Amino acid sequence: MPIGKIATFDEGSINGSIEYSTLLKSTKVSSENRELLYTFYAEKKPVKAYIVIITETRDLTTKWRLWLNNFSLTKEFKPIDIVRVGGSYYNLNIYDVTHLTREGKNEFVVSHSSIEGIWVHIINSVLFYEVPEFKTNYKLRAGIYLIQPSEEIELDGEGKNYVVVRNPNKSILRVVNSTGTVTTIGGSLDSDEIEVKGHLSIIHESSQRSPAFLFLHYSENSITPNISINVNGKIGKDNKAVITLYNDGEVDLDRVLLNAMLNGVTIHFKSFDNIKIGQKINYEFFVPKKGNVHLRIVGVKSGFRKILDKDLEWETA
């Protein structure tokens, strides 16, 4: 019989896009380390915003304090779902923080000061942006579902799936879709995030008794305009990279991010704001030595990202 559950907390359609990010590192907050800071960024003021937290405590009399942008969100520890695992309780909290989330940098703080402490396993932010050119159908599910050894669970989602799982055991948690195994997870106290398209299954291959955990499953199907960035460039004998970026897509872009790597190591980063349809950008930067120069260009529109990779050639003549 299944232990725990993962349930829908929001579902519907929006003329816009959805952006989410997760703090995956399990962190103990106690009298020795009283605060945990989670920072997230909003491309613009969201029309709706959530914070999802999964914690582990030894009892249910825990006290804490949550802050968002220096505003006290709550002093009470009242999980909306609790699952007992061994001698601990795993707890789910979800907060609607629309009125407190602002454009740009947002700081969320978990404050707790007991000797025993609490473990914060994940903090997740979900931001909804209104964008007339986009339409997104979505389903957001969160909870504490224990994936038992030898158990297989199926997650049916149209379009893109975002899943957060945790497997602290010396076992294999296999994530599979129609193309085969997407990834295997195991042996870490921290959680893992997986993004995959279409129907997927999670299989816990283990001879032990300890379960793995499913915390989040977000699915979305978006109709978006074409986001396209044309990139041309070369590196001259003077080690100067000269490139041209051209927005040849169907929509203005909030930002275009340029990351230049030399033999896999970042050597230059640049952000260009408010790039209109048809706009051309000429840009130069210095490359310190010969090697493989790879560009990663990211076009950003209200949290939606389109990635382009390109290698630059060295001028020989």
Side-chain angles (χ1 to χ4, degrees):
M1 184 176 179
I3 299 176
K5 63 183 178 182
I6 184 163
T8 302
F9 67 90
D10 197 347
E11 180 178 15
S13 178
I14 181 176
N15 286 325
S17 63
I18 303 174
E19 182 180 29
Y20 31 80
S21 61
T22 308
L23 178 67
L24 299 164
K25 183 175 178 58
S26 292
T27 304
K28 189 175 184 180
V29 185
S30 66
S31 56
E32 294 183 358
N33 179 34
R34 297 190 175 194
E35 291 188 349
L36 172 60
L37 171 65
Y38 167 63
T39 301
F40 61 96
Y41 294 85
E43 296 293 336
K44 60 181 181 180
K45 173 68 177 175
V47 294
K48 185 160 54 174
Y50 293 107
I51 291 286
V52 182
I53 314 172
I54 302 287
T55 57
E56 180 183 352
T57 60
R58 300 297 291 181
D59 59 56
L60 296 177
T61 61
T62 298
K63 294 183 179 181
W64 67 355
R65 193 160 188 178
L66 304 180
W67 302 81
L68 179 57
N69 297 329
N70 294 319
F71 184 90
S72 180
L73 189 62
T74 181
K75 299 178 184 179
E76 297 181 272
F77 184 76
K78 289 187 175 181
I80 63 173
D81 194 21
I82 300 168
V83 176
R84 185 161 189 173
V85 183
S88 296
Y89 294 94
Y90 278 70
N91 315 287
L92 167 67
N93 289 78
I94 301 176
Y95 299 97
D96 184 332
V97 293
T98 305
H99 62 298
L100 296 176
T101 305
R102 62 197 180 198
E103 179 180 347
K105 184 179 179 181
N106 291 267
E107 293 187 334
F108 181 77
V109 175
V110 179
S111 178
H112 176 73
S113 60
S114 74
I115 296 175
E116 191 169 71
I118 63 173
W119 283 93
V120 179
H121 288 306
I122 70 165
I123 303 176
N124 170 262
S125 58
V126 189
L127 308 177
F128 292 71
Y129 301 115
E130 201 169 63
V131 192
E133 301 92 341
F134 287 53
K135 183 174 182 180
T136 302
N137 299 311
Y138 65 90
K139 187 175 185 178
L140 307 181
R141 304 168 69 201
I144 301 147
Y145 185 95
L146 275 57
I147 309 174
Q148 302 295 344
S150 301
E151 182 180 6
E152 176 178 352
I153 62 172
E154 295 187 355
L155 299 175
D156 191 9
E158 295 183 5
K160 184 176 70 172
N161 294 277
Y162 176 78
V163 177
V164 174
V165 294
R166 180 173 181 261
N167 184 19
N169 312 299
K170 293 181 179 179
S171 61
I172 293 175
L173 201 62
R174 190 180 301 278
V175 181
V176 180
N177 71 352
S178 59
T179 64
T181 299
V182 177
T183 188
T184 57
I185 296 162
S188 174
L189 294 177
D190 301 330
S191 297
D192 287 87
E193 59 184 353
I194 306 108
E195 291 191 67
V196 61
K197 291 185 177 180
H199 184 93
L200 68 146
S201 298
I202 303 176
I203 307 163
H204 191 191
E205 299 177 353
S206 175
S207 58
Q208 303 177 19
R209 294 184 178 181
S210 300
F213 301 86
L214 169 63
F215 293 145
L216 300 178
H217 176 215
Y218 298 163
S219 61
E220 64 173 90
N221 192 7
S222 298
I223 301 172
T224 64
N226 179 42
I227 294 178
S228 178
I229 305 168
N230 187 278
V231 183
N232 288 303
K234 62 182 179 179
I235 308 170
K237 292 183 178 180
D238 57 357
N239 287 42
K240 184 182 291 184
V242 180
I243 64 171
T244 300
L245 305 175
Y246 178 69
N247 179 7
D248 58 354
E250 299 175 341
V251 65
D252 296 340
L253 298 176
D254 299 329
R255 286 186 298 160
V256 173
L257 308 177
L258 165 67
N259 187 31
M261 291 168 278
L262 175 63
N263 299 327
V265 179
T266 297
I267 58 169
H268 191 79
F269 178 82
K270 178 68 176 178
S271 176
F272 306 94
D273 296 331
N274 301 317
I275 310 303
K276 304 299 182 182
I277 298 173
Q279 184 175 344
K280 183 183 292 185
I281 299 173
N282 296 313
Y283 188 68
E284 300 178 359
F285 63 91
F286 182 73
V287 180
K289 62 180 180 180
K290 282 273 189 177
N292 175 255
V293 178
H294 179 81
L295 300 182
R296 170 155 288 188
I297 313 295
V298 182
V300 182
K301 179 65 176 180
S302 298
F304 186 87
R305 286 167 165 76
K306 179 68 176 291
I307 299 173
L308 172 67
D309 290 292
K310 184 179 180 63
D311 290 327
L312 289 185
E313 294 185 358
W314 290 79
E315 193 176 64
T316 56

